[in-house]
Amino acid sequence: MSKIYYDHAATTKQLKVVTEAVNDAIENNWYNVSSGYTPSFESRKIVTRAQKAVSDLISCNPNNVLFTSGATESNNMVIKGVLEATDITNPHIITTEIEHPAIYETLKAEAQKGLEVSFAKVGSDGRVKAEDVLRLIKPNTVLVSVMFANNETGVLQPIEELGYELHKRGILFHTDAVQAISHERIDVEKMNIDFLSASAHKMHGPKGVGFLYVKDFKTIKPLIHGGGQQGNFRSGTINNEAIAGYAAALEYCLANFDADNERVRSIRDFVQERLLEAIDGAVVNGSLDNRIPSILNISFPYIEAESLIMTLDMKGILVSGGSACATGKKEPSRVLTKMGLSSDRSRGAIRLSFGIDNTMEEAVEATKVITESVKYLQGIRL
């Protein structure tokens, strides 16, 4: 039975051009980029190419791009690196209540060690207001971290407005752009972003590689010490094979940005319209106006999402209940709860996230199967 994959926010299938780039690097450019002989210079060009691709995508200086194992490491580098670099005795960091665990749990861990952390609330649409973030600023605030687009709802946050206001106040600004980077046009200079995190596997690249954009390296201290690679800001032998794949994924994204996103949006809108029409009481969670085109978070009454996900899995439709990093947890989604949704609505919510390999033919079949499955489960419960 063929599978219909609607969990692209968790991970994406590696593109053929990415696999080819990785394999070519494994075969021909596997040398240590830090070595001093000629073949290593060729391997080093892979890193330069990837930095250029990042700079083209987010409008930054290529020299301000560090490669990491992924956004979780990048996020930790920012939080802990800024705390190490600041000369403020009792620093304060602001974030939101709906951040990815890579930010949320890291800050909770730092708070247990004495860090002062403030969590800005979001509205019922899943969007934080810039004024609510700014209201939390204190004289000792050193960093504000707000995700670009939420990984469960796809809701976009007011990044450009926040960047402008924080820049005026001289406060560092970080955004986790994992979900947004392949769906939204980002200009870190225009948006006054000091740090930006991303992961390759969320945009059809390899797992285990990501990047961190750093506007000014004087504002951060290294988290990993060792051989001094990447300007001594991220030591460790550079994974040029994975970075080669990342470069190919970034270049593909740049070349196909508008067409791919328009097609993904059309599929999402079709699925959303069909499900809302077919299932009484179905409701979309999060803003309909401020969201990336790839994510649909939708609740169905009188069902448990866990049962629906299992039922759909058996029928070849792969969806999730929210963050892949929280799978297996029994409590309702923290994101949906912080949006003020009822427990029943949160427990009945699934996330469908669409990608460039989905088709409208799949959407027709998937909406039919989802509708039948929801009504079946509702019948059992009622």
Side-chain angles (χ1 to χ4, degrees), residues 55 58 92 100 119 134 220 271 308 318 361 368-369:
S55 74
I58 66 171
H92 170 238
H100 187 277
F119 296 90
L134 300 174
I220 191 171
V271 171
L308 178 58
L318 307 180
E361 290 75 20
K368 177 176 177 289
V369 173

Side-chain angles (χ1 to χ4, degrees), residues 24-71:
D24 181 66
I26 289 172
E27 290 294 324
N28 302 306
N29 286 300
W30 48 268
Y31 301 92
N32 190 321
V33 302
S34 298
S35 297
Y37 34 74
T38 302
S40 72
F41 300 158
E42 294 302 312
S43 296
R44 198 174 302 163
K45 289 179 181 178
I46 290 173
V47 180
T48 303
R49 172 186 164 193
Q51 288 175 310
K52 175 65 165 57
V54 171
S55 74
D56 289 341
L57 192 59
I58 66 171
S59 300
C60 72
N61 186 324
N63 295 324
N64 291 66
V65 177
L66 301 175
F67 290 104
T68 67
S69 62

Side-chain angles (χ1 to χ4, degrees), residues 61-94:
N61 186 324
N63 295 324
N64 291 66
V65 177
L66 301 175
F67 290 104
T68 67
S69 62
T72 294
E73 181 190 337
S74 297
N75 290 342
N76 274 264
M77 284 178 70
V78 172
I79 292 169
K80 297 174 183 179
V82 167
L83 291 176
E84 285 288 326
T86 185
D87 56 3
I88 293 178
T89 305
N90 299 301
H92 170 238
I93 292 178
I94 301 170

